[in-house]
Amino acid sequence: MLSQENRKKIIQTGLYAREIDKRTRTGASTYPYWCTNWTFFPQINEDEVVMIDSYYKSYQHNIHYYIDDKNIQDFKLIFDFNDVREVEQTTYQEYADDDRYQVACDSGGRRYPKHFVKKSASPSKERQLECIDLEIDSYERKLRYLKEKRESLVR
């Protein structure tokens, strides 16, 4: 049973994380632990709150947990979708660690995570400079390689 006090703590537009449970399959699901993201969307009903793994986003086809006062602490809020915006990975790199999130929250899974930044954050000048410096280094390496390749052909 989930108390009203704990029910109020659940953010309906939140994305939650839970430690991977390698021991068991949950509910009627036949999916093993590696077929999920281990990030969850809450589904809040009148009688219950269910955390549904974000991979399929479908109650019937996914690992899910009924939330009660005993297991609510197993789920940690990552962020509220109302407070973030999805960005490309190159944009994500420009933000400070505290202002960005890389999470598996759809069928792309952990292999192809999505990138989010806080709506209230601005890119970090230091991170932007690091990204530019890395790109300059990459071009310099490529230029050296091409010069060496050209030189070997000229000889």
Side-chain angles (χ1 to χ4, degrees):
M1 178 90 173
L2 184 63
S3 67
Q4 284 300 326
E5 179 183 340
N6 280 333
R7 187 181 180 94
K8 289 177 185 177
K9 293 178 184 177
I10 305 287
I11 297 173
Q12 189 160 1
T13 54
L15 180 68
Y16 291 82
R18 183 187 191 284
E19 258 188 64
I20 295 174
D21 183 358
K22 296 180 180 179
R23 297 171 291 129
T24 186
R25 296 173 186 194
T26 305
S29 175
T30 58
Y31 295 104
Y33 73 89
W34 60 83
C35 289
T36 64
N37 289 331
W38 295 95
T39 58
F40 295 82
F41 298 113
Q43 179 179 324
I44 302 174
N45 302 319
E46 253 182 67
D47 305 0
E48 62 195 11
V49 176
V50 182
M51 289 290 190
I52 302 172
D53 187 89
S54 63
Y55 192 86
Y56 294 104
K57 300 177 192 167
S58 168
Y59 180 87
Q60 293 82 10
H61 301 105
N62 215 336
I63 288 183
H64 57 278
Y65 292 87
Y66 292 94
I67 300 302
D68 59 31
D69 289 337
K70 293 177 185 170
N71 69 0
I72 191 170
Q73 72 282 351
D74 294 345
F75 295 86
K76 305 295 181 222
L77 179 67
I78 301 171
F79 59 73
D80 183 339
F81 278 99
N82 291 331
D83 298 335
V84 299
R85 62 187 173 91
E86 187 175 356
V87 296
E88 295 296 322
Q89 184 175 1
T90 52
T91 302
Y92 164 86
Q93 298 295 341
E94 297 178 350
Y95 284 79
D97 289 341
D98 292 347
D99 294 330
R100 64 187 189 167
Y101 306 92
Q102 178 176 299
V103 294
C105 61
D106 69 0
S107 60
R110 293 183 294 267
R111 189 170 191 177
Y112 302 103
K114 289 190 173 192
H115 300 90
F116 297 89
V117 296
K118 291 179 182 176
K119 289 178 180 176
S120 60
S122 296
S124 161
K125 186 176 183 177
E126 293 80 22
R127 288 283 177 130
Q128 288 178 314
L129 289 171
E130 286 174 19
C131 290
I132 291 169
D133 288 344
L134 288 171
E135 194 168 355
I136 289 170
D137 289 346
S138 173
Y139 283 122
E140 287 174 344
R141 281 192 305 278
K142 186 170 185 170
L143 183 59
R144 277 193 307 275
Y145 167 76
L146 290 172
K147 284 180 177 181
E148 290 171 4
K149 185 176 179 180
R150 184 183 188 286
E151 189 64 31
S152 70
L153 293 172
V154 171
R155 292 184 196 162

